[in-house]
DNA sequence: ATCAACCTGAACATGCGTGTTCGAGTTGCA
DNA sequence: TGCAACTCGAACACGCATGTTCAGGTTGAT
């Protein structure tokens, strides 16, 4: 008997705990990657692709897949994590110093491609995973945004009259909304980054000493 | 034989075509309302409440429910439509004339309660209904926003450098994002309307003649 | 060369929600 | 009063994706 190759307790994922992926057999590692690749592109196309679909696309037996990801949610989680990590890598190569406004613009530009391309992965995750988990996966990225926003506030180029958290939410919200609009054909993917940035910079700017309707 | 009381062809909904609801028997009308009420609150609590749950909550047999809504999607559609209509009624009582900025603020204030309370209904709909349908249901509300934005642009208090559609999307996006944040405990429902408005007014304001980093 | 780790297809177990049918009550309405 | 409209629970038909097990067959590491 050999059956399913669960490291030991057969906890979950593949890259957490148990057998650390790096010390697995070469073919296993290859398959895991193939599955992740397939899952990412399948989910990007169809939010609720079945496990069978994904296995087939990965050129792997369904059983093999379950050997690595004990549950569908497990798989989705892994794919989301991976996708976010990819975005995070892209951001590592992005200069987030200097004028916070320009830093934010660069950050948007660097993430937009991935947000746009894999918005369906996010949707799939939203159906499968608890909201807190999704938030947790985004943690590092969230922090990046927060750092920029925070610096901007201290420097005085970003508003200080609204909760910082909300400003971060605003950034995320608009990026994903743009992805939706693009998918629906209401927005051109080319212009998106520019438009998002323009909107965000305005939204985050300190409120001007308003010139009321009258009373000069 | 009497079985299921389908008006004639048994098309769908209950309030469209066929027997116009007004000329149905009193108990039927009552039940339909009860079902709609139950569905609205059930879905508000649990995004994927089963048809059985809803029927029970409505104090009605499952069969009866299917007699009125031939499919789950049908029911969800009806609930969404109804919820949006409720919001629309609230907006009918709202003054959307005068300064577009104030009009927008009032519009946000009037809709926030419903958006906040029934955000799960929207989520349920997003899983069950095609995106275009959801968009269509919101048509009248969308138009209201658009009207205000449009007027604001002509008057010069809203920006003209971004697609009008996008500005409308921005309004929606931020309202729903705030609803999410509130549900997650990251935002106080009391402050929400104020915060949303503040953010939107800034986002929609015409870009100021920017004072670049240097070069005075 | 050897053995464990790994892969495989097929079949099975199953749970769950949906939608339908049946046969027999109620109840609104004219 | 009487009939059609309406309701009821229970049972069934079903599809469908998930997860498991079986009984071999490969392949990678040492």
């Amino acid at each position: 008997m050999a059956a399913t190759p669960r490291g030991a307790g057969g906890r979950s994922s593949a890259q957490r705990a148990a057998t650390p992926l790096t010390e697995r057999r070469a073919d296993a590692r290859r398959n895991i990657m193939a599955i992740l690749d397939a899952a990412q592109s399948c989910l990007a196309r169809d939010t609720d692709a079945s496990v069978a679909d994904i296995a087939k696309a990965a050129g792997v037996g369904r059983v093999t897949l379950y050997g690595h990801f004990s549950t569908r949610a497990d798989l989705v989680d892994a794919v989301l994590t991976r996708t976010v990590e990819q975005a995070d890598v892209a951001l590592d190569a992005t200069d987030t110093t200097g004028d916070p406004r320009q830093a934010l613009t660069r950050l948007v530009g660097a993430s937009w491609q991935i947000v746009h391309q894999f918005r369906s992965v996010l949707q799939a995750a939203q159906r499968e995973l608890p909201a807190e988990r999704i938030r947790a996966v985004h943690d590092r990225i969230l922090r990046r945004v927060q750092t920029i926003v925070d610096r901007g506030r201290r420097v005085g180029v970003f508003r200080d009259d609204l909760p910082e958290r909300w400003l971060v939410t605003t950034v995320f919200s608009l990026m994903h909304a743009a992805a939706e609009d693009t998918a629906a054909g209401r927005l051109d993917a080319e212009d998106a980054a520019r438009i998002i940035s323009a909107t965000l910079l305005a939204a985050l700017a300190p409120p001007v000493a308003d010139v009321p309707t009258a009373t000069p």
Side-chain angles (χ1 to χ4, degrees), chain A residues 12 16 49 61 78 91 107 114 143 147 149 154-155 157 161 165:
Chain A
S12 63
R16 275 205 315 273
L91 293 185
L107 182 139
I114 290 182
R143 261 202 249 284
T147 300
V149 170
R154 283 204 308 270
V155 177
V157 299
D161 63 329
R165 260 187 187 165

Side-chain angles (χ1 to χ4, degrees), chain A residues 82-171:
Chain A
R82 190 200 196 211
T83 304
V84 171
E85 267 166 10
Q86 288 174 355
D88 205 57
V89 167
L91 293 185
D92 261 333
T94 304
D95 175 23
T96 52
T97 63
D99 180 1
R101 289 173 299 185
Q102 293 178 6
L104 182 65
T105 300
R106 283 192 294 266
L107 182 139
V108 169
S111 341
W112 164 247
Q113 203 50 242
I114 290 182
V115 170
H116 166 48
Q117 187 173 1
F118 297 118
R119 74 198 163 74
S120 297
V121 172
L122 210 225
Q123 282 188 333
Q126 284 170 333
R127 295 188 192 181
E128 211 93 28
L129 276 30
E132 326 107 47
R133 174 64 188 152
I134 294 182
R135 192 83 181 180
V137 172
H138 284 83
D139 183 68
R140 304 193 50 172
I141 298 207
L142 249 356
R143 261 202 249 284
R144 280 186 207 268
V145 178
Q146 197 193 344
T147 300
I148 296 180
V149 170
D150 188 54
R151 208 177 75 244
R153 283 156 70 111
R154 283 204 308 270
V155 177
V157 299
F158 287 158
R159 69 198 304 170
D160 210 357
D161 63 329
L162 297 181
E164 185 175 78
R165 260 187 187 165
W166 166 250
L167 297 185
V168 175
T169 292
T170 299
V171 174

Side-chain angles (χ1 to χ4, degrees), chain A residues 55-78:
Chain A
K56 191 191 301 175
V60 155
R62 213 160 53 92
V63 181
T64 301
L65 192 156
Y66 275 111
H68 293 302
F69 305 92
S70 57
T71 205
R72 186 205 158 81
D74 229 42
L75 176 58
V76 173
D77 188 302

Side-chain angles (χ1 to χ4, degrees), chain A residues 31-62 65-66 69 71-76 79 121 124 128:
Chain A
N31 279 332
I32 292 177
M33 288 314 176
I35 292 170
L36 254 14
D37 285 342
Q40 196 176 38
S41 73
C42 281
L43 291 178
R45 254 182 284 112
D46 177 10
T47 302
D48 36 36
S50 75
V51 175
D53 294 336
I54 295 173
K56 191 191 301 175
V60 155
R62 213 160 53 92
L65 192 156
Y66 275 111
F69 305 92
T71 205
R72 186 205 158 81
D74 229 42
L75 176 58
V76 173
V79 172
V121 172
E128 211 93 28

